[in-house]
Amino acid sequence: MAGYRITESYEDLRKQVRAFAAEIVRPLVPIMERDREVRHDLAKAIARQGWTSATVDPEYEGLGLGHYAKTVILEELARENGAAAAIAQAGIIPTGALVHFGTDEQKNTWLPAIAAGDCLPAIDVTEPGTGGDVLAMRSRGERVDERTYVLNGRKVCVGNSHVATLHLVVVRTAEGSGGLTAFLVEADRPGISCPAHVPFLGLNGFSCGEVALTDCRVPVANRVGEEGDGLLVAHAASILYGRPNLAALSLGLQQAAWEGVAERVKDERLRVHQTIQQRIGDIHRRLITSRVVLYDAVNRLDNGLACDEELIAAKLEVVKAAETTTREALNVHGAREGLFVDHPAERRFRDAHCIEFPAGTSDFQRYRLSLEALGRRNRPLSERFATPRQRAEVPA
């Protein structure tokens, strides 16, 4: 694995990611904001660090550091730039699905490649007009013989859509909740394509676009789990990886916003202003609360404890806190800085808003929490998929 070597200390890890972000990411930010194009070079640089294998066991050449360390990585990348963290987190989600649902052959083929940076994966679930309703998907997978499926359909809001070398695609193979199935589809396989990248509100440099499947033939060996396991694969990936990943990204944006505000109020006129003091107090409170909520949740996950509710709550609380904090930071900076597109405060505000939607909006998180609170749930996914290898061995 090239790049900054991971050590056995969380603080050393934090410093190493921070050094990478300053050296590699920071010079690209003005270019990404200006051009609003997919940064293939940044995606490759992040992949080469091996960070998408943070929760992959060393048996498959992964880092084996656990979810706590993964959170440190994503927070520090987002502290520098939201798009860089988005690239990493989008690759971690399908990697986690492979860890839990992949066959031995799939793991031996793809996990070492991910760890080495030779493969950057994406997960393709959402479809036009369906939003977070996974069961409403219309993409189809038809088994045409003993060895082959043919996939057809459209996926949207696919993180790493244009830079991924491997797609974990969920399609419908039968009716009902047990009719979804997941497949691995190589990006160069005939029948899979990506329309032109369309920039959106924030996270400039990150690709989150459309993927089209047109008579795409995949072997049965590329099926992840059994036929009908697709809903479970999608839900486990979202709850165990997607939601805490996005919370980590939001936490990094909050940290950067706080640091920007602290620098701004070195101006004595602002420092003594009561309204500004109150804003600063609220920004700092939200940052502390977000950090406690998120790191407690991923620590529970690393230790095999049931924590679905905590992971869902972390995504809800930290994302909303980041939206509020980055908006408040604009008010502290004022029109001189906060209203211009080349200022970091404005960029963080846009980036934070983009994190509201993936892995379920805040309204959806509230709905899921209501089901958990009312006891309408199966065995928690966090407990069901916990393994000794999943537990972090890096000292705090």
Side-chain angles (χ1 to χ4, degrees), residues 146-169:
E146 292 184 358
R147 296 180 296 177
T148 310
Y149 286 87
V150 175
L151 312 184
N152 282 281
R154 289 173 60 204
K155 299 293 181 178
V156 295
C157 302
V158 176
N160 286 340
S161 52
H162 290 68
V163 298
T165 52
L166 181 70
H167 293 260
L168 177 63
V169 181

Side-chain angles (χ1 to χ4, degrees), residues 363-378:
D363 286 340
F364 184 76
Q365 306 307 328
R366 294 185 188 96
Y367 167 69
R368 293 297 306 175
L369 282 171
S370 74
L371 296 184
E372 297 287 331
L374 295 171
R376 294 172 55 189
R377 65 179 186 180
N378 298 316

Side-chain angles (χ1 to χ4, degrees), residues 58-122:
E59 176 186 352
Y60 301 104
E61 302 180 23
L63 299 178
L65 297 178
H67 291 270
Y68 195 104
K70 175 202 68 177
T71 305
V72 170
I73 292 166
L74 295 176
E75 179 195 345
E76 285 302 322
L77 284 174
R79 177 178 169 270
E80 189 67 53
N81 177 252
I87 291 168
Q89 76 85 25
I92 287 170
I93 298 171
T95 300
L98 264 177
V99 167
H100 296 298
F101 296 96
T103 64
D104 289 342
E105 181 180 357
Q106 290 166 352
K107 292 178 182 179
N108 285 316
T109 299
W110 293 109
L111 292 180
I114 291 169
D118 297 328
C119 173
L120 182 63

Side-chain angles (χ1 to χ4, degrees), residues 126-143:
T126 304
E127 298 190 356
T130 65
D133 187 359
V134 177
L135 290 177
M137 73 169 57
R138 294 181 292 273
S139 294
R140 305 292 301 194
E142 180 183 359
R143 187 162 182 171

